[in-house]
Structures are given as C-alpha cells and as structure tokens.
Amino acid sequence: MRVITFGTFDIFHVGHLNILKRAKEHGDHLIVGISTDDLNFSKKARYPVCPQKSRAEIVDALACVDEVFFEESLELKREYIQQYNADILVMGDDWQGKFDDLKDICQVVYLPRTPSISTTELIEIVKER
Ligand code: CTP
C-alpha cells in the first residue's frame, strides 16, 4: 500500500518523526509532500526558518520515508494523490474531517498529534532565551 502525507516539517522535531513513522505503518511506501517556501509564505505571511531544499533533504533521509516531492498548492491534494498513486492519505488530527471529500479516491486516516511540541512553539521558546 502506498501512503501519502503532507507538511512543512520546518525545524524538524519529534512530532514530525512520530507522524512519519506512524504513517509508514499504514503501508509499505511512504511519500511526503513538503510544502514549498512560497506556499508557506502565502499561508502564514512568513517564510519557514529552513528552506524547502533542506527540509526535503532531512525528511528524505529518514528510514521510514521512500519519496518526497514539493507541494506547491494546498488545493492540489487530489491531483498529488492520483499522480503518486497513493492508496492512503495520512494527516495529523489538526486536520480532522477536512479531507473527507478525498475518500472517493483513497483511504483517509487522521493520526493524533504528539502533544506539547510544534515548530511555532520551538520558535517562541528560542526567542525567549
Ligand atoms: N505533527 C504532529 N505532532 C506535532 C506537530 C506536528 O503529529 N506535535 C504533524 C502534523 O499534524 C502534520 C506534520 O506533523 O501532519 C507536519 O506538521 P507541520 O505543520 O509541518 O508542523 P508543526 O510543528 O505543526 O508546525 P507549525 O507550528 O508551524 O504549525
């Protein structure tokens, strides 16, 4: 089974590692869409700390990840799932229910987030030190 997931994975942390390892348990080939710097800027009005090439290299180096690509638009999930022949879409439960319309082309699984860690929180902690 081919599994696909998406994210920014900026300042890579253990919450990122956990979701990727758990995503891989749902199949045997894990494909990760890394959101581009421009997509993040359009969404959050700031660029990620780590540029997209570095973020993609880090994720691609993980033993549980088989393939990475750049996610250029949030509106293209259906096209990416079809292009990469994914059987299962895995998302963090911060997106609970948001991708249920894709159930006509793949299974959609929401996994619980790792508590108490996020890129946003890490940036705040570092700023305060
Ligand atoms: N994720 C997770 N547990 C966390 C943080 C992230 O499972 N504590 C998951 C998200 O649900 C998503 C993937 O990791 O499926 C990539 O999330 P991303 O938005 O890149 O990371 P965040 O740390 O949530 O970043 P931000 O604070 O900028 O939203």
Side-chain angles (χ1 to χ4, degrees):
M1 295 284 256
R2 291 168 65 83
V3 182
I4 194 166
T5 192
F6 296 85
T8 305
F9 303 98
D10 190 22
I11 316 178
F12 195 87
H13 59 69
V14 73
H16 295 150
L17 184 61
N18 285 341
I19 200 155
L20 293 172
K21 282 162 87 174
R22 285 179 297 154
K24 181 60 176 272
E25 288 168 6
H26 285 76
D28 47 33
H29 188 92
L30 178 59
I31 305 147
V32 185
I34 308 283
S35 56
T36 60
D37 295 338
D38 286 344
L39 174 53
N40 278 276
F41 188 79
S42 69
K43 205 169 58 172
K44 297 183 182 169
R46 69 165 174 80
Y47 284 106
V49 174
C50 304
Q52 62 192 48
K53 184 167 178 290
S54 307
R55 293 184 283 110
E57 275 179 24
I58 290 166
V59 172
D60 198 27
L62 298 171
C64 60
V65 173
D66 298 286
E67 202 175 339
V68 298
F69 68 94
F70 289 118
E71 179 187 23
E72 312 255 359
S73 163
L74 294 177
E75 316 307 319
L76 292 176
K77 292 263 183 324
R78 179 175 293 274
E79 286 72 11
Y80 292 131
I81 289 165
Q82 287 169 332
Q83 183 181 343
Y84 287 92
N85 274 319
D87 303 294
I88 308 176
L89 168 66
V90 169
M91 297 297 292
D93 64 1
D94 41 331
W95 294 100
Q96 188 71 46
K98 299 263 165 52
F99 295 103
D100 287 357
D101 60 306
L102 297 170
K103 285 184 176 170
D104 60 331
I105 55 164
C106 65
Q107 286 180 53
V108 181
V109 175
Y110 302 97
L111 297 179
R113 283 170 66 92
T114 302
S116 311
I117 188 157
S118 72
T119 298
T120 307
E121 274 180 48
L122 287 175
I123 291 171
E124 288 308 313
I125 290 167
V126 171
K127 269 190 197 162
E128 284 164 16
R129 291 206 173 165

